[in-house]
Amino acid sequence: MRRRACVIGAGPNGLAAAIVLAQAGLQVDVFEAEPTAGGAVRTLELTLPGFRHDFGSAVYPLGIGSPFFTSLPLSEYGLQWIHSPAPVAHPLDDGTAVLLERDLIQAKSSLGEDGKAWSELVRPFVEHWWEFASDVLRPVSLVPKHPLLMAHFGTNALRSARTIAGRFQSQRTRALFAGLAAHSTLGLDEVLSGAFGMLMAIPAHAVGWPIPHGGAQSLTNALCGYLGKLGGKISTSSRLENIEQLADYDLQMFDVTPRQLLALAGARFTPSFRRRLQRFRYGPGAFKVDYALSSPIPWRAGDCLRAATIHIGGTFDEVAESERAVRAGSHPEHPFVLLVQPSLFDPSRAPAGKHTAWAYCHVPNGSMEDMLPRIESQIERFAPGFRDCVLARKVFSAAGLEQKDANLVGGNIGGGALDAGQFLFRPTWRHYATSDPAIYLCSSSTPPGGGVHGMCGYHAARVALSRIS
Ligand SMILES: Cc1cc2nc3c(=O)[nH]c(=O)nc-3n(C[C@H](O)[C@H](O)[C@H](O)COP(=O)(O)OP(=O)(O)OC[C@H]3O[C@@H](n4cnc5c(N)ncnc54)[C@H](O)[C@@H]3O)c2cc1C
C-alpha cells in the first residue's frame, strides 16, 4: 500500500513539501482554503479588468536563488524570470536615486567612495551563493556544511544594520542599506537587522531580484503543474476546520502558523508542546495598496524606472525611525514604503500603455489604521504627480490581508517575528516536528522563515520522510 500524506495549505512552502513527498513516492493530497492555490504567491485582478496584481509577494531573490526550486523543472511548467536592469532603487530628496546594480563590479563603481566597502561586505557570499544559500536557508546549525563561509557571515550576522552601515562614508549608501535591512521588520538598531540587510544585498548580485513573467501566480502554477505530474492532487476552496477530517493520512503536513495549528490540532499535542506553540510571537503587520496606473510613475529621479523594486523612505535615520515606531506599537508619520512596479518590465500585467504597482508599509500587528494618505505622500515626495496617474486602487489593511490568507496573522507577512529567539527556535526547538509523530509544520513559521524559497516545506518534508521510513 502506498503511504498517504496530506498538506494543508497551498502556499509555496506547502507546495514544496507536497513535491518532496510526492517525489519520494507518497500519494499526496493538498487542501487549500482559498479558491486559488498560492497563498501569498497569487496574482489577482484586484482593481480594473486587465490589471493583474500580485496579492502578496512580487519579487523573488530567494525564489530564483532557492536550492530546492532550482532543482525542479519549473521552466517546463511556464515559469520565466524577468530581471529589471537594476534590482533596487532608493530615491532621495535631492532628486537623485541610489541604484543597486546587479553586477558587483558595476555596483562597486556606482557606489563610488563606498564601492570597495560594499564589495568587501558581500563578495565572499556572492561568489559562493549556492554554498551560502544551502547553509543560510535551513535551521541554524552548529555544524554548517560550509563552516568557513558561515563563520565569516557570523562575524556580521549579530550586528545591527546601523553598525554595518557605519562602514559606509556616504549617506546615500547608508540609506540604501537601511532600505534592504528594513525588510526584516526589525528595528535597525537591533541585532540581526544587519544580517537581513546582507541577506537582501547578496542575492541582488548573485542571482538578481527577478519578477515572474505574468506575475507571482506563474511561480505557483509551475509548482502546481509539476506536483500534478508527480501525481499530487490539489483541492481548492477546501478549508480544513478539524483535524479529524484527516484520519486516513499517514502524514499530515501543515502550511499554517502555530496559532492556526493549535486551533486545528491542539488536542493531539502534549500540554508542554501546546504551551510552547502558545508562546510563539507574531511580528508587525503590513498595510498594502495595489494600484492601476495610467502611466509609469513620474519619478523625479528617472533612474527609478530601471528598477522593479523601489525603497521609499529617505535617509538611514528616517527609515530607522519608521521601523522603530512600528516596533514600539505606533504608526510612523513618514513610513518606509516598499514599492514594486512590475509592468515596466512585464507588459502582460496591464492593458497596453497602462501600468500596475504595489506598495506597502509596516504597521503594528493587527492595526486598523488607514495608512493610505501617509503612503501616498511618501510616494509623491519622490514622484510628484503620482496621484494623478492612479486609475484605481485596492487597499488591504493588516486585517484585510489576513482575510485573504489566514497565515497573514494580524497582517504579519513573515509567518512570525524573526527576533533572535525565534530565529534559533522557530517555532520551537523541534522546528518542523510536533509532539505528534504524524503531524509536521512546514510554513514560514519554521526555518528559514519568511520569503518565497520553499525551503521550509523542503526541510519539513525531508524530516517527516526520515521519521516515517
Ligand atoms: C504583501 C506581501 C508582500 C510580500 N513580498 C514578498 C516578496 O516580494 N518576496 C518574497 O520572497 N516574499 C514576500 N512576501 C512573503 C512571502 O509571500 C511569504 O513568506 C510566503 O508566501 C510564505 O509561504 P507559506 O507557504 O509559508 O505561506 P502562505 O504563502 O501564506 O500560504 C499559506 C496557505 O495556507 C492556506 N491555509 C491556511 N489555513 C488553512 C486551512 N485551515 N485549510 C486550508 N488551507 C489553509 C492559505 O490560504 C494559504 O494559501 C510577501 C508577503 C506579503 C503578504
Side-chain angles (χ1 to χ4, degrees):
M1 277 277 285
R2 261 174 103 192
R3 285 184 191 261
R4 298 187 69 200
C6 64
V7 179
I8 308 308
N13 285 314
L15 293 172
I19 287 171
V20 174
L21 296 173
Q23 283 173 328
L26 276 74
Q27 185 187 324
V28 182
D29 295 324
V30 181
F31 298 101
E32 166 54 49
E34 298 297 322
T36 322
V41 190
R42 277 180 289 167
T43 305
L44 304 165
E45 265 188 3
L46 293 169
T47 55
L48 301 171
F51 289 83
R52 297 179 52 70
H53 303 277
D54 289 338
F55 155 71
S57 55
V59 182
Y60 297 103
L62 299 179
I64 193 170
S66 159
F68 178 58
F69 285 168
T70 43
S71 74
L72 308 177
L74 298 181
S75 61
E76 290 170 25
Y77 294 86
L79 178 64
Q80 257 179 279
W81 295 115
I82 298 174
H83 292 270
S84 52
V88 191
H90 188 121
L92 296 165
D93 284 317
D94 64 2
T96 67
V98 199
L99 263 79
L100 187 61
E101 301 292 346
R102 183 168 165 204
D103 180 69
L104 188 52
I105 295 172
Q106 220 181 320
K108 193 173 166 186
S109 104
S110 79
L111 293 174
E113 58 190 333
D114 288 323
K116 187 163 175 282
W118 185 276
S119 176
E120 280 171 5
L121 183 67
V122 299
R123 191 167 33 84
F125 313 104
V126 171
E127 286 175 353
H128 299 281
W129 168 259
W130 296 106
E131 293 90 328
F132 178 61
S134 71
D135 265 327
V136 93
L137 296 178
R138 68 170 192 153
V140 176
S141 166
L142 291 176
V143 210
K145 291 189 223 158
H146 306 93
L148 290 179
L149 196 64
M150 292 313 285
H152 187 166
F153 187 65
T155 59
N156 288 302
L158 292 177
R159 295 182 207 276
S160 70
R162 191 180 294 279
T163 307
I164 290 186
R167 297 176 184 193
F168 305 126
Q169 305 298 316
S170 160
Q171 294 299 336
R172 300 169 66 82
T173 319
R174 289 184 190 169
L176 174 69
F177 194 73
L180 295 168
H183 279 252
S184 65
T185 69
L186 293 167
L188 302 194
D189 291 295
E190 291 180 54
V191 289
L192 291 180
S193 59
F196 279 96
M198 290 178 66
L199 276 178
M200 293 285 108
I202 292 162
H205 304 297
V207 286
W209 280 31
I211 57 173
H213 180 263
Q217 194 71 47
S218 307
L219 172 55
T220 293
N221 290 351
L223 291 167
C224 292
Y226 180 56
L227 176 63
K229 167 90 174 149
L230 296 172
K233 296 199 173 60
I234 303 175
S235 307
T236 52
S237 302
S238 303
R239 185 179 300 276
L240 181 78
E241 308 282 359
N242 186 334
I243 197 164
E244 302 314 325
Q245 294 166 241
L246 307 178
D248 292 346
Y249 293 95
D250 304 298
L251 192 65
Q252 296 149 12
M253 184 67 68
F254 283 84
D255 183 10
V256 306
T257 77
R259 190 179 298 177
Q260 298 150 275
L261 185 66
L262 271 169
L264 292 167
R268 296 266 294 269
F269 302 140
T270 61
S272 73
F273 187 70
R274 274 203 300 273
R275 276 197 300 280
R276 286 202 178 91
L277 287 184
Q278 275 155 2
R279 285 201 288 265
F280 187 76
R281 296 177 304 286
Y282 290 86
F287 180 101
K288 176 176 182 263
V289 198
D290 286 286
Y291 291 104
L293 301 171
S294 60
S295 67
I297 297 174
W299 299 108
R300 214 173 325 134
D303 271 356
C304 288
L305 297 171
R306 292 184 57 227
T309 302
I310 313 289
H311 290 161
I312 300 172
T315 64
F316 184 103
D317 284 337
E318 285 178 273
V319 175
E321 173 51 26
S322 164
E323 299 308 292
R324 188 209 56 75
V326 174
R327 294 288 281 170
S330 57
H331 295 82
E333 211 36 61
H334 305 289
F336 168 62
V337 175
L338 294 103
L339 184 144
V340 176
Q341 42 185 12
S343 55
L344 285 181
F345 312 99
D346 178 5
S348 75
R349 307 294 185 97
K354 306 283 190 289
H355 287 273
T356 59
W358 84 207
Y360 74 84
C361 70
H362 299 138
V363 290
N365 193 281
S367 159
M368 301 293 282
E369 188 95 357
D370 179 8
M371 295 297 284
L372 184 65
R374 283 177 256 188
I375 286 184
E376 292 194 351
S377 67
Q378 283 286 66
I379 302 174
E380 283 274 342
R381 177 177 158 194
F382 300 101
F386 167 74
R387 283 197 185 94
D388 300 336
C389 309
V390 178
L391 298 171
R393 36 171 92 69
K394 169 79 182 169
V395 169
F396 289 99
S397 66
L401 286 173
E402 187 174 347
Q403 274 166 18
K404 271 213 163 326
D405 176 349
N407 284 28
L408 306 176
V409 176
N412 183 195
I413 70 172
L418 243 190
D419 48 35
Q422 291 195 167
F423 181 64
L424 292 174
F425 307 114
R426 190 170 179 84
T428 71
W429 61 269
R430 294 174 190 261
H431 295 146
Y432 312 100
T434 70
S435 61
D436 183 315
I439 300 180
Y440 293 82
L441 198 56
C442 70
S443 71
S444 59
S445 303
T446 62
V452 176
H453 38 63
M455 296 303 287
C456 309
Y458 167 80
H459 289 299
R462 302 251 307 190
V463 168
L465 286 170
S466 72
R467 295 185 180 196
I468 62 162
S469 52

